[in-house]
């Protein structure tokens, strides 16, 4: 969406209304082709696994008693995670996506939906092409129903008929989009379990950047974030969600899309002004080291000094 509709990210194309859907369509078909290629050629010899990693927030209805808000929250997650996961696990785009994009396209006077369609053969070919699901997750939004007038130029954001809100009490240690809402992670993981037949899950990205450069390397907010989110993964495991592994994001400060080096997600601070790019451990390094040594939250008695 940022690469093919708004143009904020590479390749910087502004193909309003249809570019993101077309790009996603190609990604899904290409992913399936790679999975089949591995499955037919290499799997018997290597016994490896091929999956896909999808990044998704969680959408919570503003009013859980309002059917409109519950439906809007469902659209949020289906337009986000379901867009890619539904074809791979269930054989086609989510019905809600097909209905909404189709309806908006008709209102615009278009002869067909801006959301491409899979042929019967493609649906069969794509379904089941993931040995595991990688999940990147960072934050949550409250969601409510919001109708956009159909005279407006429709695109991915207006197709969904929803608005996103945040709770001002949520901690926001990092960039303006990233609020710390650990409980959303457990709900997302349980949603995946219910929707897609409890697939094998690897958490491929989860972490927080800092707003200001922390010269003292005292990133206590990162430790709080990790503690909260990892704790919710543990709760999801107790719920029966099939989480196999967890990867914190990220080891090092790095180049972050159109934000360049300004958003620092790393456990290690990088001095980008020095030609040797020296690395300095932040306080979270020692904290995370203890967690992975104990494979859980250690008590002081369990960890060697």
């Amino acid at each position: 969406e940022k690469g093919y509709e708004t143009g904020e990210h590479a390749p910087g194309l502004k193909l309003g209304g249809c570019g993101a859907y077309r790009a996603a369509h190609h990604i899904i078909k290409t992913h399936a082709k790679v999975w089949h290629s591995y499955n037919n050629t290499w799997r018997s010899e290597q016994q490896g696994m091929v999956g896909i990693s999808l990044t998704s927030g969680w959408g919570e209805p503003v009013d859980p008693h309002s059917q409109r808000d519950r439906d809007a929250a469902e659209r949020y997650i289906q337009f986000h995670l379901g867009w890619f996961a539904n074809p791979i696990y269930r054989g086609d785009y989510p019905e809600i996506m097909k209905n909404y994009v189709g309806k908006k396209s008709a209102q615009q006077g278009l002869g067909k939906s801006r959301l491409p369609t899979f042929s019967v053969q493609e649906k069969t070919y794509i379904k089941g092409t993931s040995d595991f699901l990688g999940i990147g997750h960072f934050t949550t939004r409250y969601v409510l129903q919001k109708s956009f007038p159909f005279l407006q130029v429709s695109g991915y954001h207006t197709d969904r008929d929803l608005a996103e809100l945040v709770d001002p009490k949520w901690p926001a240690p990092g960039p303006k989009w990233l609020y710390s809402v650990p409980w959303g992670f457990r709900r997302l993981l349980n949603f995946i379990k219910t929707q897609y037949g409890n697939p094998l899950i690897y958490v491929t990205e989860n972490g927080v950047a800092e707003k200001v450069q922390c010269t003292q390397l005292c990133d206590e907010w990162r430790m709080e974030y990790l503690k909260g989110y990892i704790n919710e993964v543990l709760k999801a495991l107790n719920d029966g969600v099939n989480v196999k592994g967890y990867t914190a994001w990220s080891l090092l400060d790095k180049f972050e899309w159109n934000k360049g080096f300004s958003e620092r997600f790393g456990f290690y601070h990088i001095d980008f002004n020095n030609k040797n790019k020296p690395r300095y451990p932040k306080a979270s390094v020692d904290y995370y080291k203890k967690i992975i040594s104990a494979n859980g939250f250690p008590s002081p008695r369990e960890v060697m000094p």
Side-chain angles (χ1 to χ4, degrees):
E1 183 261 333
K2 285 185 166 64
Y4 290 88
E5 187 158 306
T6 65
E8 290 171 61
H9 288 178
L13 300 178
K14 297 180 180 178
L15 307 172
C18 60
Y21 295 135
R22 278 164 51 196
H25 201 67
H26 291 310
I27 288 168
I28 294 162
K29 291 203 289 184
T30 308
H31 162 78
K33 188 163 188 176
V34 171
W35 186 91
H36 281 287
S37 173
Y38 185 84
N39 196 51
N40 297 334
T41 312
W42 300 105
R43 190 186 299 276
S44 58
E45 181 186 330
Q46 296 180 346
Q47 299 300 307
M49 294 199 301
V50 177
I52 193 165
S53 182
L54 304 175
T55 302
S56 181
W58 174 250
E60 184 75 10
V62 169
D63 178 2
H65 304 295
S66 158
Q67 187 63 48
R68 281 162 61 89
D69 286 0
R70 289 204 305 272
D71 289 347
E74 174 77 12
R75 287 197 300 280
Y76 176 88
I77 200 77
Q78 293 292 0
F79 267 80
H80 209 155
L81 178 68
W83 184 6
F84 294 86
N86 220 73
I88 290 168
Y89 285 95
R90 303 176 75 167
D92 199 4
Y93 290 121
E95 286 301 316
I96 200 90
M97 257 191 110
K98 294 195 289 185
N99 292 343
Y100 268 71
V101 182
K103 181 179 70 181
K104 299 268 184 176
S105 302
Q107 286 172 348
Q108 288 174 276
L110 300 175
K112 63 177 184 178
S113 176
R114 286 178 284 104
L115 183 70
T117 55
F118 294 115
S119 68
V120 174
Q121 291 89 341
E122 285 172 339
K123 289 176 187 176
T124 307
Y125 187 72
I126 292 163
K127 187 178 179 182
T129 57
S130 208
D131 305 319
F132 66 89
L133 179 60
I135 284 292
H137 175 73
F138 295 91
T139 194
T140 284
R141 293 287 185 267
Y142 279 121
V143 181
L144 75 164
Q145 160 77 27
K146 179 184 179 181
S147 295
F148 291 88
F150 66 79
L151 296 173
Q152 218 170 317
V153 176
S154 271
Y156 172 75
H157 280 286
T158 55
D159 284 341
R160 305 177 300 168
D161 273 355
L162 59 85
E164 301 173 34
L165 303 175
V166 297
D167 186 331
K169 294 193 286 292
W170 288 345
K176 63 179 185 290
W177 59 270
L178 209 170
Y179 293 78
S180 181
V181 196
W183 52 260
F185 203 4
R186 181 185 183 184
R187 296 185 186 200
L188 175 67
L189 292 168
N190 272 284
F191 175 89
I192 292 165
K193 173 191 169 190
T194 306
Q195 286 275 311
Y196 309 125
N198 203 12
L200 178 64
I201 295 172
Y202 286 92
V203 176
T204 45
E205 290 186 29
N206 175 239
V208 66
E210 52 231 44
K211 277 179 185 160
V212 291
Q213 190 169 318
C214 185
T215 48
Q216 285 79 37
L217 307 174
C218 49
D219 55 346
E220 69 284 344
W221 63 86
R222 183 171 283 110
M223 295 185 270
E224 278 300 306
Y225 179 98
L226 290 167
K227 181 166 72 175
Y229 276 75
I230 292 170
N231 196 32
E232 293 298 318
V233 176
L234 291 170
K235 290 178 190 175
L237 277 165
N238 287 335
D239 298 335
V241 180
N242 192 9
V243 182
K244 182 74 171 177
Y246 172 91
T247 311
W249 190 259
S250 61
L251 179 67
L252 308 169
D253 290 338
K254 70 208 178 312
F255 192 85
E256 186 68 28
W257 295 95
N258 56 335
K259 304 297 183 191
F261 299 114
S262 65
E263 282 188 5
R264 293 172 176 264
F265 278 87
F267 286 132
Y268 283 84
H269 173 82
I270 309 292
D271 183 355
F272 292 112
N273 297 320
N274 185 317
K275 67 175 171 42
N276 295 321
K277 306 290 184 287
R279 306 166 181 189
Y280 303 100
K282 301 174 188 176
S284 54
V285 166
D286 193 51
Y287 179 73
Y288 191 60
K289 199 179 285 183
K290 286 175 179 170
I291 291 174
I292 59 178
S293 298
N295 195 29
F297 293 113
S299 78
R301 287 178 299 233
E302 289 170 346
V303 180
M304 297 300 290

